[in-house]
PDB file of all heavy atoms in Angstrom:
ATOM      1  N   ALA A  31       9.429   4.568   2.684  1.00 95.00           N
ATOM      2  CA  ALA A  31      10.228   5.470   1.859  1.00 95.00           C
ATOM      3  C   ALA A  31       9.336   6.593   1.347  1.00 95.00           C
ATOM      4  O   ALA A  31       8.108   6.482   1.352  1.00 95.00           O
ATOM      5  CB  ALA A  31      10.871   4.728   0.688  1.00 95.00           C
ATOM      6  N   ALA A  32       9.979   7.664   0.892  1.00 97.00           N
ATOM      7  CA  ALA A  32       9.247   8.802   0.341  1.00 97.00           C
ATOM      8  C   ALA A  32      10.067   9.415  -0.784  1.00 97.00           C
ATOM      9  O   ALA A  32      11.301   9.343  -0.791  1.00 97.00           O
ATOM     10  CB  ALA A  32       8.958   9.844   1.421  1.00 97.00           C
ATOM     11  N   GLY A  33       9.345  10.020  -1.744  1.00 98.00           N
ATOM     12  CA  GLY A  33      10.054  10.645  -2.852  1.00 98.00           C
ATOM     13  C   GLY A  33       9.228  11.712  -3.539  1.00 98.00           C
ATOM     14  O   GLY A  33       7.998  11.647  -3.545  1.00 98.00           O
ATOM     15  N   ILE A  34       9.901  12.712  -4.086  1.00 98.00           N
ATOM     16  CA  ILE A  34       9.279  13.778  -4.880  1.00 98.00           C
ATOM     17  C   ILE A  34      10.161  14.030  -6.095  1.00 98.00           C
ATOM     18  O   ILE A  34      11.386  14.056  -5.988  1.00 98.00           O
ATOM     19  CB  ILE A  34       9.134  15.088  -4.066  1.00 98.00           C
ATOM     20  CG1 ILE A  34       8.082  14.951  -2.974  1.00 98.00           C
ATOM     21  CG2 ILE A  34       8.774  16.264  -4.984  1.00 98.00           C
ATOM     22  CD1 ILE A  34       7.989  16.175  -2.054  1.00 98.00           C
ATOM     23  N   VAL A  35       9.526  14.215  -7.247  1.00 98.00           N
ATOM     24  CA  VAL A  35      10.235  14.688  -8.427  1.00 98.00           C
ATOM     25  C   VAL A  35       9.449  15.858  -9.006  1.00 98.00           C
ATOM     26  O   VAL A  35       8.232  15.798  -9.124  1.00 98.00           O
ATOM     27  CB  VAL A  35      10.443  13.579  -9.479  1.00 98.00           C
ATOM     28  CG1 VAL A  35       9.134  12.984  -9.935  1.00 98.00           C
ATOM     29  CG2 VAL A  35      11.240  14.094 -10.669  1.00 98.00           C
ATOM     30  N   THR A  36      10.130  16.948  -9.283  1.00 98.00           N
ATOM     31  CA  THR A  36       9.495  18.134  -9.864  1.00 98.00           C
ATOM     32  C   THR A  36      10.072  18.396 -11.253  1.00 98.00           C
ATOM     33  O   THR A  36      11.167  17.937 -11.586  1.00 98.00           O
ATOM     34  CB  THR A  36       9.704  19.379  -8.979  1.00 98.00           C
ATOM     35  OG1 THR A  36      11.102  19.607  -8.809  1.00 98.00           O
ATOM     36  CG2 THR A  36       9.032  19.195  -7.625  1.00 98.00           C
ATOM     37  N   CYS A  37       9.311  19.168 -12.022  1.00 98.00           N
ATOM     38  CA  CYS A  37       9.718  19.493 -13.390  1.00 98.00           C
ATOM     39  C   CYS A  37       9.850  21.005 -13.534  1.00 98.00           C
ATOM     40  O   CYS A  37       8.903  21.748 -13.287  1.00 98.00           O
ATOM     41  CB  CYS A  37       8.689  18.938 -14.382  1.00 98.00           C
ATOM     42  SG  CYS A  37       9.103  19.248 -16.105  1.00 98.00           S
ATOM     43  N   GLU A  38      11.028  21.433 -13.926  1.00 96.00           N
ATOM     44  CA  GLU A  38      11.312  22.847 -14.168  1.00 96.00           C
ATOM     45  C   GLU A  38      11.699  22.989 -15.634  1.00 96.00           C
ATOM     46  O   GLU A  38      12.822  22.682 -16.027  1.00 96.00           O
ATOM     47  CB  GLU A  38      12.451  23.308 -13.257  1.00 96.00           C
ATOM     48  CG  GLU A  38      12.815  24.769 -13.408  1.00 96.00           C
ATOM     49  CD  GLU A  38      14.052  25.116 -12.600  1.00 96.00           C
ATOM     50  OE1 GLU A  38      14.890  24.225 -12.368  1.00 96.00           O
ATOM     51  OE2 GLU A  38      14.185  26.293 -12.223  1.00 96.00           O
ATOM     52  N   GLY A  39      10.743  23.418 -16.456  1.00 93.00           N
ATOM     53  CA  GLY A  39      10.980  23.426 -17.886  1.00 93.00           C
ATOM     54  C   GLY A  39      11.116  21.997 -18.400  1.00 93.00           C
ATOM     55  O   GLY A  39      10.201  21.198 -18.276  1.00 93.00           O
ATOM     56  N   ASP A  40      12.280  21.665 -18.936  1.00 92.00           N
ATOM     57  CA  ASP A  40      12.557  20.306 -19.383  1.00 92.00           C
ATOM     58  C   ASP A  40      13.448  19.541 -18.411  1.00 92.00           C
ATOM     59  O   ASP A  40      13.886  18.431 -18.713  1.00 92.00           O
ATOM     60  CB  ASP A  40      13.230  20.332 -20.763  1.00 92.00           C
ATOM     61  CG  ASP A  40      12.287  20.817 -21.852  1.00 92.00           C
ATOM     62  OD1 ASP A  40      11.077  20.576 -21.717  1.00 92.00           O
ATOM     63  OD2 ASP A  40      12.767  21.452 -22.809  1.00 92.00           O
ATOM     64  N   ARG A  41      13.721  20.120 -17.258  1.00 96.00           N
ATOM     65  CA  ARG A  41      14.641  19.529 -16.289  1.00 96.00           C
ATOM     66  C   ARG A  41      13.870  18.914 -15.123  1.00 96.00           C
ATOM     67  O   ARG A  41      12.951  19.531 -14.576  1.00 96.00           O
ATOM     68  CB  ARG A  41      15.609  20.593 -15.777  1.00 96.00           C
ATOM     69  CG  ARG A  41      16.642  20.105 -14.787  1.00 96.00           C
ATOM     70  CD  ARG A  41      17.647  19.179 -15.437  1.00 96.00           C
ATOM     71  NE  ARG A  41      18.367  19.829 -16.527  1.00 96.00           N
ATOM     72  CZ  ARG A  41      19.492  20.532 -16.355  1.00 96.00           C
ATOM     73  NH1 ARG A  41      20.002  20.699 -15.150  1.00 96.00           N
ATOM     74  NH2 ARG A  41      20.108  21.067 -17.393  1.00 96.00           N
ATOM     75  N   LEU A  42      14.236  17.685 -14.734  1.00 97.00           N
ATOM     76  CA  LEU A  42      13.630  17.009 -13.591  1.00 97.00           C
ATOM     77  C   LEU A  42      14.535  17.124 -12.379  1.00 97.00           C
ATOM     78  O   LEU A  42      15.767  17.017 -12.491  1.00 97.00           O
ATOM     79  CB  LEU A  42      13.389  15.530 -13.910  1.00 97.00           C
ATOM     80  CG  LEU A  42      12.362  15.205 -14.990  1.00 97.00           C
ATOM     81  CD1 LEU A  42      12.354  13.716 -15.288  1.00 97.00           C
ATOM     82  CD2 LEU A  42      10.970  15.677 -14.563  1.00 97.00           C
TER      83      LEU A  42
END
Side-chain angles (χ1 to χ4, degrees):
I34 290 175
V35 58
T36 58
C37 181
E38 181 187 27
D40 292 329
R41 181 68 60 88
L42 294 174

